[in-house]
Amino acid sequence: PSRGLDVLEQTGWLEHFPEIAALRGTPQEPEWHPEGDVFDHTRHCLDALAADPAWEALAEGRRGRLMLATLAHDFGKPATTARQERRGVMRWTSNGHEAAGGPIAAAFLRRIGAPLDLDAPVAAIVVHHLAHHHGQGPGFSAAHIRRLARKLAPATIEDLALVMTADANGRPPLASPETH
Protein backbone atom coordinates (compact mmCIF):
# COMPACT_ATOMS: atom_id res chain seq x y z
CA PRO A 1 0.00 0.00 0.00
CA SER A 2 2.89 2.40 0.61
CA ARG A 3 3.51 2.43 -3.13
CA GLY A 4 0.16 4.18 -3.59
CA LEU A 5 1.35 7.04 -1.39
CA ASP A 6 4.64 7.09 -3.29
CA VAL A 7 2.76 7.44 -6.59
CA LEU A 8 0.66 10.29 -5.20
CA GLU A 9 3.82 12.06 -4.09
CA GLN A 10 5.80 11.43 -7.29
CA THR A 11 2.99 12.57 -9.58
CA GLY A 12 2.11 15.69 -7.60
CA TRP A 13 -1.35 14.31 -6.80
CA LEU A 14 -0.57 14.33 -3.08
CA GLU A 15 -1.62 18.00 -3.03
CA HIS A 16 -5.20 16.85 -3.68
CA PHE A 17 -5.13 15.01 -0.34
CA PRO A 18 -4.02 17.69 2.13
CA GLU A 19 -4.56 15.45 5.16
CA ILE A 20 -1.97 13.04 3.78
CA ALA A 21 0.31 15.74 2.35
CA ALA A 22 0.54 17.37 5.79
CA LEU A 23 2.21 14.22 7.11
CA ARG A 24 5.25 14.83 4.90
CA GLY A 25 7.76 16.86 6.89
CA THR A 26 5.97 16.48 10.23
CA PRO A 27 8.82 15.39 12.50
CA GLN A 28 8.77 12.59 15.03
CA GLU A 29 11.11 11.81 17.91
CA PRO A 30 13.92 9.74 16.32
CA GLU A 31 14.34 7.59 19.42
CA TRP A 32 10.82 6.22 18.94
CA HIS A 33 10.49 6.76 15.20
CA PRO A 34 13.83 6.19 13.45
CA GLU A 35 11.98 5.66 10.16
CA GLY A 36 11.50 9.40 9.65
CA ASP A 37 8.61 11.80 9.42
CA VAL A 38 4.93 10.95 9.86
CA PHE A 39 4.48 10.31 6.13
CA ASP A 40 7.21 7.65 6.15
CA HIS A 41 5.82 6.16 9.36
CA THR A 42 2.36 5.93 7.77
CA ARG A 43 3.81 4.18 4.72
CA HIS A 44 5.45 1.57 6.96
CA CYS A 45 2.26 1.14 9.00
CA LEU A 46 0.17 0.49 5.88
CA ASP A 47 2.63 -2.15 4.72
CA ALA A 48 2.76 -3.71 8.21
CA LEU A 49 -1.03 -4.00 8.23
CA ALA A 50 -1.10 -5.58 4.76
CA ALA A 51 1.55 -8.09 5.87
CA ASP A 52 -0.41 -9.17 8.96
CA PRO A 53 -2.01 -12.60 8.39
CA ALA A 54 -4.85 -11.68 10.79
CA TRP A 55 -5.72 -8.69 8.57
CA GLU A 56 -5.50 -10.79 5.41
CA ALA A 57 -8.00 -13.27 6.86
CA LEU A 58 -10.70 -10.61 7.34
CA ALA A 59 -13.54 -9.90 4.95
CA GLU A 60 -12.70 -7.36 2.24
CA GLY A 61 -14.88 -4.56 3.63
CA ARG A 62 -13.34 -4.85 7.06
CA ARG A 63 -9.83 -4.88 5.57
CA GLY A 64 -10.63 -1.63 3.74
CA ARG A 65 -11.93 -0.01 6.92
CA LEU A 66 -8.73 -0.93 8.77
CA MET A 67 -6.51 0.25 5.91
CA LEU A 68 -8.26 3.64 6.01
CA ALA A 69 -7.96 3.80 9.80
CA THR A 70 -4.25 3.02 9.53
CA LEU A 71 -3.83 5.67 6.82
CA ALA A 72 -5.59 8.23 9.04
CA HIS A 73 -4.26 7.18 12.46
CA ASP A 74 -1.78 10.09 12.69
CA PHE A 75 -3.74 12.77 10.79
CA GLY A 76 -3.75 14.79 14.03
CA LYS A 77 0.04 14.97 14.30
CA PRO A 78 0.67 17.92 11.94
CA ALA A 79 -1.54 20.15 14.13
CA THR A 80 -0.19 18.92 17.47
CA THR A 81 3.53 18.31 16.92
CA ALA A 82 5.85 20.56 18.89
CA ARG A 83 9.35 20.52 20.30
CA GLN A 84 9.04 20.28 24.09
CA GLU A 85 11.15 19.48 27.08
CA ARG A 86 10.45 16.02 28.50
CA ARG A 87 12.35 14.95 31.61
CA GLY A 88 15.12 17.42 30.87
CA VAL A 89 15.46 16.50 27.17
CA MET A 90 14.07 18.37 24.16
CA ARG A 91 11.85 16.01 22.15
CA TRP A 92 9.27 16.07 19.38
CA THR A 93 5.83 15.44 20.90
CA SER A 94 2.33 15.17 19.48
CA ASN A 95 0.18 15.43 22.57
CA GLY A 96 -3.49 14.92 21.81
CA HIS A 97 -2.97 13.88 18.20
CA GLU A 98 -5.38 10.97 18.61
CA ALA A 99 -8.35 13.17 19.56
CA ALA A 100 -7.35 15.80 16.99
CA GLY A 101 -7.18 13.15 14.28
CA GLY A 102 -10.71 11.78 14.61
CA PRO A 103 -12.53 14.74 13.03
CA ILE A 104 -9.82 15.09 10.37
CA ALA A 105 -10.22 11.41 9.45
CA ALA A 106 -14.01 11.77 9.22
CA ALA A 107 -13.70 14.91 7.07
CA PHE A 108 -11.19 13.13 4.81
CA LEU A 109 -13.59 10.23 4.32
CA ARG A 110 -16.44 12.63 3.45
CA ARG A 111 -14.24 14.52 1.01
CA ILE A 112 -13.11 11.41 -0.86
CA GLY A 113 -16.67 10.06 -1.02
CA ALA A 114 -16.10 6.98 1.14
CA PRO A 115 -19.20 5.08 2.23
CA LEU A 116 -20.89 6.80 5.17
CA ASP A 117 -20.70 3.67 7.31
CA LEU A 118 -16.90 4.07 7.49
CA ASP A 119 -16.95 7.43 9.30
CA ALA A 120 -17.74 6.21 12.82
CA PRO A 121 -15.47 3.14 12.99
CA VAL A 122 -12.48 4.82 11.31
CA ALA A 123 -12.72 7.94 13.49
CA ALA A 124 -13.14 5.82 16.64
CA ILE A 125 -10.06 3.75 15.84
CA VAL A 126 -8.04 6.92 15.14
CA VAL A 127 -9.13 8.50 18.43
CA HIS A 128 -8.32 5.38 20.46
CA HIS A 129 -5.25 4.01 18.64
CA LEU A 130 -3.04 4.72 21.66
CA ALA A 131 -5.46 3.40 24.30
CA HIS A 132 -2.86 0.81 25.30
CA HIS A 133 -0.54 3.63 26.37
CA HIS A 134 -3.23 5.26 28.50
CA GLY A 135 -4.21 2.22 30.56
CA GLN A 136 -3.85 1.79 34.28
CA GLY A 137 -0.89 -0.25 35.47
CA PRO A 138 0.36 -3.31 33.60
CA GLY A 139 -3.04 -4.27 32.18
CA PHE A 140 -6.64 -3.30 31.68
CA SER A 141 -9.59 -4.22 33.84
CA ALA A 142 -12.58 -5.93 32.27
CA ALA A 143 -14.59 -2.75 32.87
CA HIS A 144 -11.99 -0.67 31.03
CA ILE A 145 -12.14 -2.99 28.02
CA ARG A 146 -15.96 -2.90 28.01
CA ARG A 147 -15.91 0.92 28.04
CA LEU A 148 -13.36 0.97 25.23
CA ALA A 149 -15.45 -1.49 23.20
CA ARG A 150 -18.50 0.79 23.57
CA LYS A 151 -16.46 3.81 22.42
CA LEU A 152 -15.18 1.91 19.38
CA ALA A 153 -18.51 0.49 18.19
CA PRO A 154 -19.17 -0.36 15.43
CA ALA A 155 -15.42 -1.05 15.21
CA THR A 156 -14.18 -3.78 17.50
CA ILE A 157 -11.33 -4.34 19.93
CA GLU A 158 -9.88 -6.73 17.32
CA ASP A 159 -9.97 -3.93 14.71
CA LEU A 160 -8.21 -1.60 17.11
CA ALA A 161 -5.60 -4.23 17.98
CA LEU A 162 -4.75 -4.76 14.30
CA VAL A 163 -4.24 -1.01 13.77
CA MET A 164 -2.22 -0.76 17.00
CA THR A 165 -0.01 -3.64 15.83
CA ALA A 166 0.51 -1.99 12.44
CA ASP A 167 1.37 1.28 14.20
CA ALA A 168 3.90 -0.47 16.45
CA ASN A 169 5.42 -2.38 13.53
CA GLY A 170 5.61 0.73 11.33
CA ARG A 171 8.83 1.94 12.99
CA PRO A 172 11.69 0.09 11.29
CA PRO A 173 14.25 -0.83 12.29
CA LEU A 174 12.68 -0.88 15.77
CA ALA A 175 10.97 -4.09 16.78
CA SER A 176 8.17 -3.41 19.20
CA PRO A 177 8.04 -5.60 22.31
CA GLU A 178 4.28 -4.93 22.23
CA THR A 179 3.85 -7.05 19.12
CA HIS A 180 6.41 -9.80 19.60
Side-chain angles (χ1 to χ4, degrees):
S2 65
R3 292 174 65 201
L5 293 183
D6 293 342
V7 168
L8 288 176
E9 188 171 45
Q10 292 164 4
T11 61
W13 274 79
L14 192 59
E15 72 183 46
H16 298 288
F17 304 94
E19 302 87 350
I20 302 171
L23 304 178
R24 176 56 83 204
T26 299
Q28 299 187 104
E29 184 55 38
E31 182 178 343
W32 301 304
H33 287 283
E35 72 280 4
D37 67 12
V38 180
F39 185 86
D40 287 334
H41 169 64
T42 300
R43 291 175 63 256
H44 289 292
C45 292
L46 293 168
D47 290 346
L49 181 66
D52 189 327
W55 176 82
E56 186 63 37
L58 297 174
E60 183 178 328
R62 200 161 158 208
R63 286 195 318 263
R65 171 171 67 193
L66 298 183
M67 192 60 69
L68 285 167
T70 301
L71 173 65
H73 83 281
D74 281 341
F75 277 4
K77 280 191 174 181
T80 60
T81 297
R83 191 95 171 132
Q84 296 181 337
E85 186 178 333
R86 294 282 179 187
R87 297 182 190 104
V89 178
M90 292 302 290
R91 296 191 181 272
W92 289 108
T93 64
S94 300
N95 299 328
H97 78 276
E98 312 95 314
I104 299 169
F108 171 76
L109 293 173
R110 289 301 84 244
R111 208 171 47 70
I112 66 170
L116 290 172
D117 65 347
L118 292 176
D119 290 8
V122 168
I125 291 169
V126 168
V127 168
H128 297 289
H129 79 273
L130 291 182
H132 58 305
H133 290 297
H134 303 304
Q136 307 298 328
F140 292 95
S141 69
H144 182 104
I145 292 172
R146 284 191 299 273
R147 281 191 302 275
L148 180 58
R150 282 192 298 273
K151 291 175 186 177
L152 287 170
T156 66
I157 295 286
E158 181 186 14
D159 293 339
L160 179 63
L162 285 167
V163 173
M164 287 174 163
T165 300
D167 187 19
N169 289 336
R171 304 178 304 146
L174 291 181
S176 176
E178 298 164 340
T179 61
H180 291 93

